[in-house]
């Protein structure tokens, strides 16, 4: 097989928490009287929490915010978001994703997560995938967010593999850019697939079974 491992982005690929993110950012923005909509929210996908905050604050026109206040605002958003995540369960993992993961594992492929989210371990636990993946690289062990390739390079390092034999799976254009910047082939779904950002642009993750067929 061309690939020995698959490195998955989490949100938008394995699960979908976009609505939770949107509602949490909106509540935080509303507390400042800052306009926020779904188009702005879409710009935050794959971006670190503090960098996302700066995007949200582009329309802020109040008194200058200290670094400490910005941390408070980012924490407020994350607390609201985590309250929503507590509602998640293994039922939120679609049959298609579960069957695809199991099918790839049966072929002997190593499976990893490469996500900018610091909530990755919590989300995986809620989905019943806490110990499923061979490696998890996330916002807790990186210093640079996508489109920097650090999160994927660390995942490959954890697996003991070179990027050339790992396939990254992404739904965000910035994530696809990160994969390519790290020397990985990239399979895309969602927005990134519609933008033609991948080496493989898929309708669903189930197509990974065909891509890795041999």
């Amino acid at each position: 097989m061309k690939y020995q491992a698959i490195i998955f982005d989490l949100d938008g690929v394995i699960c979908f928490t976009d609505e939770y993110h949107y509602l949490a950012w909106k509540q935080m923005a509303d507390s400042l009287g800052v306009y926020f909509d779904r188009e702005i929210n879409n710009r935050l996908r794959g971006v670190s929490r503090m960098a996302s905050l700066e995007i949200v604050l582009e329309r802020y026109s109040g008194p200058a915010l200290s670094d400490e206040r910005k941390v408070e605002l980012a924490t407020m958003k994350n607390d609201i978001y985590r309250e929503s995540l507590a509602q998640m369960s293994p039922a939120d993992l679609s049959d298609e994703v579960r069957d695809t993961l199991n099918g790839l594992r049966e072929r002997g492929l190593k499976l990893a997560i490469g996500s900018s989210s610091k909530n990755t371990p919590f989300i995986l636990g809620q989905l019943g995938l806490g110990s499923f993946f061979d490696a998890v690289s996330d916002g807790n062990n990186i210093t640079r967010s996508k489109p920097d390739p650090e999160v994927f390079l660390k995942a490959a390092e954890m697996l003991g593999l070179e990027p050339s034999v790992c396939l990254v799976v992404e739904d965000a254009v910035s994530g696809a850019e990160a994969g390519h910047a790290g020397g990985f082939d990239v399979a895309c779904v969602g927005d990134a697939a519609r933008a033609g950002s991948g080496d493989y642009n898929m309708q669903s993750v189930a197509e990974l079974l065909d891509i890795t067929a041999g």
Side-chain angles (χ1 to χ4, degrees):
M1 288 190 293
K2 181 177 181 180
Y3 303 110
Q4 296 178 35
I6 313 293
I7 304 174
F8 295 88
D9 176 42
L10 181 59
D11 198 13
V13 176
I14 299 296
C15 62
F16 298 88
T17 65
D18 252 13
E19 187 67 10
Y20 297 151
H21 275 297
Y22 168 70
L23 293 173
W25 279 121
K26 181 137 184 27
Q27 188 170 330
M28 190 282 296
D30 287 348
S31 74
L32 293 173
V34 174
Y35 178 79
F36 185 75
D37 61 19
R38 293 181 186 277
E39 186 173 342
I40 298 171
N41 185 67
N42 205 41
R43 293 171 56 198
L44 311 183
R45 297 174 65 213
V47 179
S48 71
R49 192 179 306 158
M50 296 309 295
S52 293
L53 178 65
E54 293 299 333
I55 293 172
V56 176
L57 292 176
E58 287 173 357
R59 293 176 179 244
Y60 175 72
S61 58
L65 299 172
S66 66
D67 289 342
E68 292 79 7
R69 178 57 175 153
K70 288 182 179 180
V71 170
E72 288 177 3
L73 291 168
T75 301
M76 177 200 302
K77 179 268 171 182
N78 192 53
D79 288 346
I80 298 167
Y81 175 61
R82 282 182 68 91
E83 286 179 15
S84 299
L85 292 182
Q87 304 169 24
M88 295 185 75
S89 74
D92 289 294
L93 185 67
S94 72
D95 290 341
E96 177 191 298
V97 171
R98 182 182 292 105
D99 292 346
T100 300
L101 290 174
N102 289 332
L104 295 170
R105 173 58 52 77
E106 288 169 4
R107 290 180 180 171
L109 287 157
K110 292 185 176 182
L111 305 178
I113 292 290
S115 169
S116 297
S117 174
K118 291 184 177 181
N119 292 302
T120 295
F122 183 73
I123 294 172
L124 290 176
Q126 292 297 102
L127 294 173
L129 296 173
S131 59
F132 180 83
F133 291 93
D134 300 296
V136 176
S137 177
D138 61 23
N140 296 295
N141 69 345
I142 61 171
T143 58
R144 298 179 300 279
S145 293
K146 304 167 188 176
D148 189 282
E150 181 184 15
V151 71
F152 295 133
L153 291 172
K154 282 189 178 293
E157 182 181 347
M158 290 175 181
L159 294 171
L161 296 172
E162 294 297 319
S164 59
V165 295
C166 301
L167 178 65
V168 162
V169 185
E170 264 287 352
D171 72 311
V173 172
S174 62
E177 291 172 349
H180 285 137
F184 299 86
D185 283 355
V186 180
C188 290
V189 292
D191 287 350
R194 287 187 285 274
S197 299
D199 300 285
Y200 310 95
N201 295 299
M202 309 181 297
Q203 295 292 320
S204 71
V205 294
E207 292 178 41
L208 289 170
L209 295 172
D210 294 327
I211 292 169
T212 60

